[in-house]
Amino acid sequence: MDLSAERSLLGQEINSLWPYFIHLYEDLFRLTNEEYEVLKKSKIEELEDISKKKSILLEEIDTLDKKREEILERISLFGHSSLPAKNNSSTIKEFLLLYHLEDHYQNFSKLNDDLISIIEKTRRQNKNNQVLLARALNFIREVKGQALGQKYF
């Protein structure tokens, strides 16, 4: 296979991998929202089930991340150390532009923007969940302390 075809194939692989990332992160976001609702209702059994599902999703994301790392390694094999290592998406974008893979570049840019958006939403929701969980733990400590005769002011 000539280098041009190999680069194009790599562009296709990149653009076929990112929708899977998006799908998994959308599932993670959905579970994170469910987790918030379950926390509000104090349904511990459901919380355990959601945690297990989130763990499975995170393992799947980790597997995809390894594939992304393999792609980055393959990009580096083209011998262009001038490609900046600012971040992974920048490296991929620069590769696609450098080798005139504009269609792959446009598609990747949109997919990557979508991925970043869902990751940011998930992070915000996780912060909300942590706040709610911290409040619940404080309440439990107070109730436990009161049961033990400690006073809280």
Side-chain angles (χ1 to χ4, degrees):
M1 178 182 312
D2 70 354
L3 285 177
S4 179
E6 193 174 330
R7 290 182 204 122
S8 183
L9 181 62
L10 188 52
Q12 289 172 359
E13 286 180 42
I14 291 166
N15 283 317
S16 67
L17 183 63
W18 254 244
Y20 291 114
F21 270 118
I22 292 168
H23 173 73
L24 291 175
Y25 273 102
E26 285 172 340
D27 286 350
L28 185 61
F29 178 64
R30 181 184 49 76
L31 283 173
T32 303
N33 286 324
E34 284 180 31
E35 183 178 50
Y36 183 77
E37 293 304 317
V38 167
L39 282 167
K40 287 193 321 186
K41 296 174 184 172
S42 301
K43 294 186 175 180
I44 302 303
E45 299 81 24
E46 289 181 37
L47 187 59
E48 290 173 359
D49 186 46
I50 290 172
S51 292
K52 288 176 188 174
K53 289 177 183 177
K54 284 178 75 173
S55 291
I56 291 168
L57 274 175
L58 291 171
E59 286 175 15
E60 291 178 33
I61 289 169
D62 190 48
T63 299
L64 284 183
D65 202 43
K66 288 175 183 161
K67 289 180 182 179
R68 180 196 50 79
E69 288 174 9
E70 290 172 12
I71 286 173
L72 288 166
E73 285 178 29
R74 287 174 53 203
I75 287 173
S76 72
L77 292 177
F78 283 101
H80 292 279
S81 58
S82 62
L83 286 174
K86 298 174 203 163
N87 63 46
N88 297 328
S89 61
S90 293
T91 300
I92 292 170
K93 286 179 180 179
E94 301 256 345
F95 167 79
L96 295 171
L97 284 175
L98 182 66
Y99 292 108
H100 310 288
L101 301 168
E102 287 85 4
D103 289 344
H104 294 301
Y105 174 84
Q106 295 298 328
N107 192 38
F108 173 76
S109 293
K110 167 138 182 28
L111 290 170
N112 199 57
D113 288 346
D114 292 347
L115 180 60
I116 289 168
S117 175
I118 194 68
I119 289 171
E120 288 174 353
K121 287 179 189 176
T122 303
R123 285 182 179 159
R124 282 192 301 270
Q125 188 59 50
N126 270 327
K127 286 181 184 178
N128 291 338
N129 292 4
Q130 289 173 355
V131 168
L132 190 58
L133 190 55
R135 287 181 185 161
L137 290 173
N138 282 335
F139 176 75
I140 290 169
R141 278 189 217 113
E142 286 179 17
V143 169
K144 182 180 175 185
Q146 288 173 355
L148 298 173
Q150 299 170 345
K151 296 184 181 185
Y152 290 90
F153 297 96

